[in-house]
Amino acid sequence: DVKVTQSSRYLVKRTGEKVFLECVQDMDHENMFWYRQDPGLGLRLIYFSYDVKMKEKGDIPEGYSVSREKKERFSLILESASTNQTSMYLCASSPRKTLLYNEQFFGPGTRLTVL
Amino acid sequence: GNSVTQMEGPVTLSEEAFLTINCTYTATGYPSLFWYVQYPGEGLQLLLKATKADDKGSNKGFEATYRKETTSFHLEKGSVQVSDSAVYFCALSGNTGGFKTIFGAGTRLFVKA
């Protein structure tokens, strides 16, 4: 069964802390993505990666960085957490294949609260 | 650029009612279109997809037809159940957007027994 796992379901951090969100997929997918989900705004892409050690900025990269040292793992880093980063964070992966059928597989999400 | 617009929710229906959630898109060329569903406390999962004009995607009683002439991909179900209560996202991918997927804002559906 296809699986994307995220390190935590719920996380509470303080302003200024460095926060790591981990995502692991077991499908040997090339592409991995980080989104944040906020009410009324849908999903917004933060960063994505086409391959190991490669990363591309999404639509809202400010305040975030990422790391992809291994194919199966994609980490999202909040260098100095702020209250406006309180959100649901979703990780997804997809196979490279072709541009069509580009279905994404999602993890369960991490609900991050920054106090 | 590419974009997806879907009807605002929440949508509240009684069990066995007919469901339509409207979705329109803006894109050049021929993107693939998707509906994803998010049940409470979970991530998104693919509900159905269509990759070319006039294709009909279907799954679990849900259907959507890729209409290029109206740039629409409306989601329908003939008889909803309480277990269909979830948030539904229309999305497009491929085309000039590369591997990125563009999501609509989501429509929350409540089904009452």
Side-chain angles (χ1 to χ4, degrees):
Chain A
D1 212 14
V2 162
K3 207 81 167 171
V4 179
T5 56
Q6 296 184 226
S7 50
S8 306
R9 293 300 299 269
Y10 300 93
L11 211 51
V12 179
K13 296 292 181 181
R14 298 211 172 272
T15 302
E17 279 193 79
K18 190 168 186 174
V19 182
F20 293 87
L21 303 182
E22 305 285 341
C23 174
V24 177
Q25 51 95 2
D26 65 0
M27 298 162 282
D28 202 35
H29 285 171
E30 288 80 9
N31 308 320
M32 296 189 74
F33 307 82
W34 275 106
Y35 297 89
R36 62 177 283 175
Q37 181 182 10
D38 300 288
L41 298 177
L43 275 68
R44 293 181 291 168
L45 182 64
I46 305 172
Y47 267 96
F48 59 104
S49 170
Y50 292 150
D51 205 344
V52 176
K53 296 195 185 296
M54 296 190 66
K55 59 187 179 185
E56 298 277 345
K57 291 181 180 179
D59 301 316
I60 52 163
E62 296 79 18
Y64 304 94
S65 62
V66 291
S67 171
R68 187 134 181 235
E69 296 296 318
K70 294 186 177 181
K71 189 176 185 180
E72 67 270 18
R73 187 180 297 268
F74 192 35
S75 303
L76 180 69
I77 303 152
L78 287 66
E79 294 289 342
S80 177
S82 63
T83 54
N84 63 11
Q85 293 178 309
T86 291
S87 186
M88 170 72 88
Y89 290 88
L90 293 169
C91 175
S93 71
S94 71
R96 182 165 294 154
K97 286 187 183 175
T98 64
L99 292 180
L100 297 180
Y101 299 106
N102 197 28
E103 172 188 353
Q104 295 194 2
F105 297 85
F106 283 83
T110 295
R111 186 166 293 283
L112 172 67
T113 302
V114 182
L115 302 175
Chain B
N2 296 344
S3 66
V4 174
T5 303
Q6 60 183 106
M7 62 188 288
E8 284 189 36
V11 174
T12 303
L13 297 173
S14 297
E15 210 165 21
E16 299 183 4
F18 184 86
L19 168 71
T20 299
I21 300 179
N22 290 337
C23 171
T24 57
Y25 68 91
T26 301
T28 54
Y30 303 95
S32 295
L33 301 175
F34 306 84
W35 277 100
Y36 286 84
V37 58
Q38 184 180 33
Y39 297 105
E42 298 182 12
L44 279 70
Q45 57 186 272
L46 182 68
L47 180 60
L48 53 84
K49 64 187 177 190
T51 58
K52 61 182 187 296
D54 301 324
D55 260 5
K56 178 185 282 188
S58 61
N59 185 26
K60 300 182 181 179
F62 291 89
E63 292 183 339
T65 301
Y66 189 148
R67 301 281 188 207
K68 186 155 178 64
E69 63 277 11
T70 55
T71 62
S72 65
F73 193 54
H74 305 321
L75 182 68
E76 296 182 336
K77 187 175 185 184
S79 176
V80 294
Q81 305 300 312
V82 172
S83 57
D84 294 326
S85 297
V87 182
Y88 293 82
F89 293 89
C90 186
L92 69 81
S93 181
N95 199 43
T96 57
F99 297 110
K100 292 166 60 175
T101 297
I102 308 299
F103 291 88
T107 302
R108 185 175 293 277
L109 171 66
F110 292 105
V111 181
K112 303 179 297 184

